[in-house]
Amino acid sequence: MMLPLTDPLLLVFVALLALTLGSFLNVVIARLPVMLSRQWTLEAHQTLALTSSTQTQTQTQTQTTYNLLVPRSRCPECDTTIAWHDNIPLVGYLKRRGRCAQCQGHISVQYPLVEAASLALVLWVVWLHGLTFTGLAFALAGLTLLTLAVIDLRTLLLPDVLTLPLLWGGLLYQSTAHPDRLAESVIGAAAGYSIAWGFYWLFRLATGKEGLGRGDFKLLAALGAWCGWQSLPLILVLSATAGAVLGIILQLLLPRLRGAPMPFGPFLSAAGMLVLLGGDRVIELYYTVIGLSSI
Ligand SMILES: [Zn+2]
């Protein structure tokens, strides 16, 4: 049953929930790579059985609690804990005009942008699918893709703790909502992984460089699970074209970027979001172009 969002109170509730989720995504984006890096350092030291001062230093570093809940948000410049009223999604940033209340240090525009993108994404999905199982599933998938895109942009990482649940989530969603399309979804996951893996090795053998990261294999597998194997060519063409065009423009404008590795995850995520959340028109247009009958 589809619950249309005609009730203004319900709409406000969904919008507030979306902004709160956006604020949480900012925490994940900022902290998850640091948490993973700490864990890898600790594991590396344990594996290499390093002793003396290096180990003590690492232990002190990794023993202070640092997760998605602790410590509270702090200013990156002066380390002051940010007051709750300055931490309200969008409002806090606008109120302080992007500056820390204590030291007037610059706060990244990424925070309000991720919150605004989460709000737009959730409202768009709910407008298309209402408060349904599909609406909930697509909103979660879209928010995960947004998180992955920003993490990859900042750190060139696509953490397994996000790509793998996204993959399983896609298979589970299809098996529950569209059992008749489960095969397309499973083939999509396997094909997505294999295509990215094949491209990685071909590129590596031809140029000696890594054209894709290993996280991209799992991300394309997840998109295959959510969208079905038929959508993979569209996702690949869209992401590769967007990546190439933006890459050329950036290198022309900023020559210092020449030769710097460029993340592909943001382009895959954006193309995946467009196909998954773009509604039936995108898919119908695509099927018309490639001559498949719409499902
Ligand atoms: Zn500050």
Side-chain angles (χ1 to χ4, degrees), residues 75-77 93 97-100 103-111:
C75 164
E77 300 282 336
Y93 185 88
R97 292 167 196 258
R99 301 207 165 264
C100 163
C103 71
Q104 298 299 310
H106 178 71
I107 306 275
S108 168
V109 74
Q110 176 206 305
Y111 293 97

Side-chain angles (χ1 to χ4, degrees), residues 10-289:
L10 196 60
L11 189 66
V12 171
F13 174 74
V14 170
L16 289 178
L17 184 67
L19 283 172
T20 312
L21 283 170
S23 183
F24 177 68
L25 297 195
N26 274 320
V27 176
V28 176
I29 290 163
R31 297 193 184 186
L32 185 60
V34 180
M35 288 160 62
L36 291 172
S37 162
R38 282 179 164 216
Q39 196 187 331
W40 294 332
T41 310
L42 188 68
E43 284 169 5
H45 276 81
Q46 283 168 349
T47 309
L48 296 170
L50 290 182
T51 49
S52 71
S53 59
T54 341
Q55 193 180 27
T56 325
Q57 203 184 353
T58 317
Q59 270 178 352
T60 327
Q61 220 178 48
T62 45
Q63 272 168 3
T64 45
T65 310
Y66 187 89
N67 55 40
L68 295 181
L69 301 174
V70 178
R72 281 186 54 193
S73 301
R74 291 165 197 257
C75 164
E77 300 282 336
C78 66
D79 213 32
T80 309
T81 306
I82 296 173
W84 67 268
H85 48 86
D86 287 338
N87 219 359
I88 300 172
L90 285 183
V91 179
Y93 185 88
L94 293 175
K95 193 176 79 172
R96 294 283 173 201
R97 292 167 196 258
R99 301 207 165 264
C100 163
Q102 192 68 29
C103 71
Q104 298 299 310
H106 178 71
I107 306 275
S108 168
V109 74
Q110 176 206 305
Y111 293 97
L113 282 182
V114 168
E115 286 157 3
S118 303
L119 176 67
L121 192 146
V122 169
L123 288 181
W124 170 252
V125 169
V126 171
W127 185 64
L128 274 187
H129 300 284
L131 295 176
T132 57
F133 174 63
T134 296
L136 177 70
F138 280 19
L140 285 176
L143 292 173
T144 310
L145 287 171
L146 174 65
T147 312
L148 281 165
V150 184
I151 290 182
D152 198 16
L153 209 58
R154 284 169 47 117
T155 64
L156 295 176
L157 285 175
L158 288 169
D160 282 355
V161 287
L162 294 176
T163 49
L164 295 182
L166 184 66
L167 166 59
W168 293 117
L171 294 174
L172 269 177
Y173 166 74
Q174 297 291 10
S175 68
T176 315
H178 305 286
D180 51 320
R181 292 192 209 159
L182 184 57
E184 292 166 14
S185 171
V186 174
I187 296 169
Y193 191 96
S194 311
I195 291 169
W197 181 88
F199 178 82
Y200 170 88
W201 281 107
L202 277 179
F203 193 83
R204 191 165 169 174
L205 290 172
T207 65
K209 293 180 194 163
E210 296 191 350
L212 283 180
R214 283 156 205 268
D216 294 313
F217 307 173
K218 292 160 228 170
L219 178 55
L220 194 57
L223 293 177
W226 279 96
C227 306
W229 65 268
Q230 301 93 325
S231 298
L232 285 174
L234 175 64
I235 291 171
L236 284 167
V237 167
L238 285 175
S239 51
T241 311
V245 170
L246 203 73
I248 291 169
I249 292 175
L250 276 179
Q251 292 199 354
L252 286 177
L253 294 178
L254 302 164
R256 67 188 162 83
L257 283 181
R258 255 171 230 163
M262 197 170 84
F264 193 49
F267 299 102
L268 276 180
S269 298
M273 267 195 239
L274 183 72
V275 172
L276 186 66
L277 312 178
D280 295 338
R281 279 196 189 161
V282 173
I283 296 295
E284 273 168 21
L285 181 70
Y286 167 60
Y287 281 154
T288 315
V289 172

